[in-house]
């Protein structure tokens, strides 16, 4: 933010100085041309000294702006909304007080970089993000979130997995060699304690990541080798049956390791077992079959890509509506009693704050983690709960309209109110999902939702959910 402020301030200073330096140059040219004026023109100038015109011009000149710079006044008003009023005033006063030599040098700099280019650059900041950029940003955020989850899995399980000869792939798939769990030709698990100790943290880590994981799969894989004297087809069918039974038995032991009912329900809604026989062989560098590596059990996960695609489709639809509908038509959607800034597609500031237009909204009755706040997990490690809450609210809203009803103003001048996505109360939903606490100091509206999330260990309640107010006071 500090760098952005300095950059904008410098651009504004350049624009202002260009106007002032250019006015100085025009004044010099004007003095040279006075001798060339007609008598009528001179009389008009003298009359301006008595009718107040000169006094107005002098007042404007003292502020650094001439009458000919009406466009500069309009542009300054337009661009100044990037800054607080007092900061804008200090910037303008500082520019007026610069030495003449500095003003001319800055004026020359602006002439080298034409004013129009500066204005175009600033105008781009005021325009909505292009759909392609928005889609790229969403994809990059999703990739970064998945990468973070894989890193977390590696911290939790990587050392133990590799000690057994297994591995964690870049997409989060965990591979265990056959010998860790099964003897040759058998579907009986030889080391159920290891599998339980592995499965419980695997499921818990995935659940508390707050990513939209749609599927978990335990996969049985085999080599192409079957029993003695079997044909390739017979070997394939034999291994298909064996790999399926192995995957199912592993799933059963895995579920038995989950003692928390809420974690069990989450896992049952996503977990499945599949036997692939020899359909996905591992090959050596020369292309031949690596039979030992092919005999394995994999634990994989899949994200809900459809939701991400829906969000991108929503971005495209929103962009089309901006192009096809003029601004008055958009404003006409507001009801007769609605104010500007109470309805629209918001920008999410954090887990409990939105901006609609130029109006900032604090969701009433909730307190979400601060953006830089981290939350410890019961099994060790921490998660960036502040960023997670912010992203969760962003994903919940997507590119859809939100309607807010003001209750009061807080001490910072923000509107405090209840905001709705269709009929969904966003504050209530954040508390229900365990992503924010009920702000009982100010309201008990969501106390029941908090108690339910806390009891079922949903969201941040699966770990140690520090009160955001306590976190703020501790900094």
């Amino acid at each position: 933010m500090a760098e952005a402020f300095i950059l904008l301030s410098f651009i504004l200073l350049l624009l202002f100085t260009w106007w002032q330096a250019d006015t100085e140059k025009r004044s010099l040219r004007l003095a040279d041309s006075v001798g060339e004026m007609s008598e009528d023109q001179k009389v008009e100038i003298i009359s301006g000294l008595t009718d107040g015109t000169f006094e107005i011009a002098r007042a404007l000149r003292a502020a650094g702006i001439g009458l000919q710079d009406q466009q500069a006044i309009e542009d300054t008003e337009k661009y100044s909304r990037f800054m607080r009023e007092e900061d804008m005033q200090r910037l303008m006063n500082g520019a007026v007080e610069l030495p003449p030599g500095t003003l001319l040098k800055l004026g020359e700099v602006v002439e080298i970089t034409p004013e129009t280019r500066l204005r175009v650059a600033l105008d781009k900041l005021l325009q909505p993000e292009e759909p392609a950029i928005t889609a790229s940003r969403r994809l990059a955020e999703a990739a970064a979130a998945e990468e973070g989850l894989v890193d977390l899995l590696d911290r939790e399980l990587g050392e133990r997995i590799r000690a057994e000869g297994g591995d964690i792939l870049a997409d989060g798939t965990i591979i265990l060699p056959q010998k860790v769990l099964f003897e040759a030709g058998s579907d009986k698990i030889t080391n159920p304690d290891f599998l339980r100790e592995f499965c419980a943290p695997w499921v818990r880590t995935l659940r508390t990541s707050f990513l939209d994981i749609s599927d978990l799969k335990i996969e049985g894989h085999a080599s192409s080798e079957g029993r003695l004297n079997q044909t390739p087809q017979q070997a394939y069918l034999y291994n298909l049956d064996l790999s399926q039974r192995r995957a199912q038995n592993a799933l059963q032991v895995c579920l038995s390791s989950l003692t928390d009912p809420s974690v069990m329900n989450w896992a049952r809604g996503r977990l499945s077992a599949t036997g692939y026989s020899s359909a996905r062989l591992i090959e050596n560098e020369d292309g031949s079959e690596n039979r030992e590596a092919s005999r394995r059990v994999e634990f994989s996960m899949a994200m809900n890509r459809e939701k991400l695609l829906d969000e991108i489709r929503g971005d495209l639809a929103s962009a089309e509506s901006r192009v096809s509908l003029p601004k008055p038509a958009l404003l006409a959607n507001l009801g007769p009693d609605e104010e500007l800034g109470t309805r629209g597609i918001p920008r999410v500031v954090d887990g409990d704050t939105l901006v609609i237009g130029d109006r900032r909204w604090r969701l009433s009755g909730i307190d979400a983690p601060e953006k830089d706040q981290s939350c410890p997990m019961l099994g060790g490690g921490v998660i960036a709960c502040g960023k997670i809450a912010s992203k969760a609210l962003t994903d919940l809203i997507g590119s859809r309209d939100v309607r807010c009803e003001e209750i009061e103003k807080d001490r910072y001048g923000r509107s405090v109110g209840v905001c709705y996505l269709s009929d969904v109360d966003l504050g209530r939903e954040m508390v229900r999902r365990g992503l924010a606490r009920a702000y009982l100091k100010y309201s008990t509206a969501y106390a029941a939702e908090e108690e339910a999330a806390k009891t079922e260990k949903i969201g941040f309640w699966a770990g140690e959910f520090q009160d955001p107010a306590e976190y703020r006071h501790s900094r």
Side-chain angles (χ1 to χ4, degrees), residues 22 70 76 108 132 142 145 152 200 215 220 289 314 326 362 370 384 398 425 453:
D22 192 62
Q70 179 61 35
T76 301
E108 290 171 359
L152 187 57
D215 293 290
E289 177 186 345
R362 177 72 159 77
E370 297 300 307
D425 179 341

Side-chain angles (χ1 to χ4, degrees), residues 283-311:
E283 296 181 345
N284 296 310
E285 291 185 2
D286 61 3
S288 61
E289 177 186 345
N290 186 330
R291 290 184 173 179
E292 189 63 31
S294 295
R295 302 182 185 109
R296 66 199 187 276
V297 180
E298 294 188 3
F299 298 77
S300 62
M301 61 180 182
M303 302 295 171
N304 185 355
R305 303 299 185 191
E306 192 59 37
K307 180 179 179 182
L308 181 61
L309 292 174
D310 285 342
E311 291 171 350

